[in-house]
Amino acid sequence: MQKKSLWVLILGMFLGIFISVGGNVLAERGSRSPETEVLPFEDLRTFTEIFGRIKRDYVEPVTDKQLLEHAIRGMLIGLDPHSDYLTGDQYKELQEGTTGQFGGLGIEVTMENGFVKVVSPIDDTPAQRAGVRAGDLVVRLDDQPVKGMSLGDAVKLMRGDPGSRIVLTIMREGEEAPLKIEITRDIIKVKSVRSRLLEKDYGYLRISSFQSKTGEGLRKAIAELEKENAGKLKGLVLDLRNNPGGVLNAAVDVSDAFLDKGLIVYTEGRIENSEMRFNASPDDVLDGAPIVVLINAGSASASEIVAGALQDHRRAVIMGEKSFGKGSVQTVLPTSGGAAVKLTTARYFTPSGRSIQAEGIEPDIQLDRFKLESVEGPDFKPVKEADLSRHLTNGNRSKKKPETKDTEQDQEKSKLEITDYPLHEALMLLKGIAILRN
């Protein structure tokens, strides 16, 4: 009886696939290549044979639902690293992530050669504070090897109750042995836009991820910077380092904020609604003030859309490292039962027609990753002419300017090249552009 029901199920699957594929072939005959019009009967027969063998011979009982779910997930994972099958819980977590609050460690991940690869840690999250870096390969989660897991299963293990701990075993380029990093889980509340004045007339704006309200948050942040500055900015550093991307429309909104005309990004795919074009509206929130965009290997997807658009329109200087190179668009398609399919449906292109897929954005100014250290101690002051005994006076009859102590802002600037060298270089470039404009 059990064997009979198994073959009835397989026959039903076979007929379903036949009707689905056959219907598509008849509907689209003439528009597809000949090889795609042939129904792969031998492959379907192999599938049903393997399905039956697993049901009969696998060491533990497996339900039909489990096998079918694995088959669906396998079809999607085999396409590219970003297509996937999402269970109801995973679909809910994805929706929470685009709104800016979810539980977990705070890292954006993908699959590479069977391991979980960190695209980038999210700002001010447990993963970032613990020292996880873009490019790290996670090979174990606690005592469980990652090899053989789906991306969804790995993410599920990394999530958990706030306060609980997990140990990530990581392979890192340049390290001879694997690193073990213990992380305490927390509720991840991502504030996608942060800003501050670097000094008078020069602002800093950091986007950690692209969420549904990022464009709105950016405009508000710039207005606050100008209010604090008591006037328009002479330049802005837009920091997209370790930004894993996010919502496509948010990337368009951010680009549009700095452009007053022209194409921002366009997408091309096989289905009609996958082909889209996004154009800028006549409104530049900085009124043409220069921008330096910082990127690195952890800048991906939506970050690359923004960097590519501003670079092609010569609206900003791109500085840093070559970006990640994710130039594909994923569409989330809900299915019955609350699950969903995340399917790659298009590639996106910069205004000049560049595809970023597997290539990334090349910065206009390349900065290698290294750390600067101060040669002298903070209390050391070099000897000047004015310090020598019996030195000649200046000869200027005007009153001598009183000596002033370094302000907190001056001290912060002196620390910047040590704590964040790329940001220091971006600020120096902005000041140089402002001098040439005057």
Side-chain angles (χ1 to χ4, degrees), residues 189-351:
K189 296 181 180 180
V190 180
K191 184 180 179 182
S192 65
V193 179
R194 300 173 187 269
S195 61
R196 72 178 193 269
L197 277 180
L198 294 172
E199 60 177 82
K200 175 67 176 172
D201 295 330
Y202 298 97
Y204 170 81
L205 201 147
R206 161 76 179 156
I207 300 178
S208 57
S209 64
F210 287 87
Q211 302 165 9
S212 55
K213 295 185 179 180
T214 297
E216 179 185 331
L218 176 139
R219 291 175 182 271
K220 182 179 178 182
I222 290 176
E224 290 174 351
L225 285 174
E226 290 179 340
K227 183 179 179 181
E228 183 182 349
N229 191 56
K232 289 288 186 178
L233 298 173
K234 291 184 178 179
L236 178 75
V237 178
L238 178 60
D239 190 351
L240 300 179
R241 291 174 294 178
N242 292 326
N243 182 321
V247 180
L248 174 62
N249 286 339
V252 172
D253 289 343
V254 169
S255 302
D256 189 15
F258 304 118
L259 298 171
D260 53 18
K261 63 179 180 180
L263 185 63
I264 293 173
V265 65
Y266 68 94
T267 64
E268 291 183 354
R270 293 175 59 210
I271 57 178
E272 185 177 350
N273 62 1
S274 68
E275 297 184 0
M276 299 179 288
R277 297 176 71 86
F278 298 90
N279 292 283
S281 57
D283 175 28
D284 180 351
V285 294
L286 290 179
D287 293 330
I291 304 169
V292 174
V293 179
L294 290 175
I295 62 172
N296 65 4
S299 304
S301 189
S303 301
E304 296 170 295
I305 291 177
V306 174
L310 298 183
Q311 187 178 52
D312 280 3
H313 284 285
R314 298 185 180 276
R315 180 63 187 88
V317 177
I318 313 301
M319 179 182 283
E321 303 172 326
K322 188 175 180 179
S323 63
F324 184 77
K326 181 183 178 294
S328 59
V329 179
Q330 283 69 48
T331 303
V332 180
L333 308 168
T335 64
S336 58
V341 171
K342 186 171 72 169
L343 188 65
T344 299
T345 55
R347 290 182 175 88
Y348 64 72
F349 297 82
T350 71

Side-chain angles (χ1 to χ4, degrees), residues 408-427:
E408 289 185 10
Q409 196 174 61
D410 291 331
Q411 293 173 359
E412 184 66 27
K413 280 194 298 180
S414 66
K415 293 177 183 176
L416 190 60
E417 62 182 303
I418 304 300
T419 58
D420 194 338
Y421 177 70
L423 179 54
H424 174 266
E425 290 299 289
L427 176 59

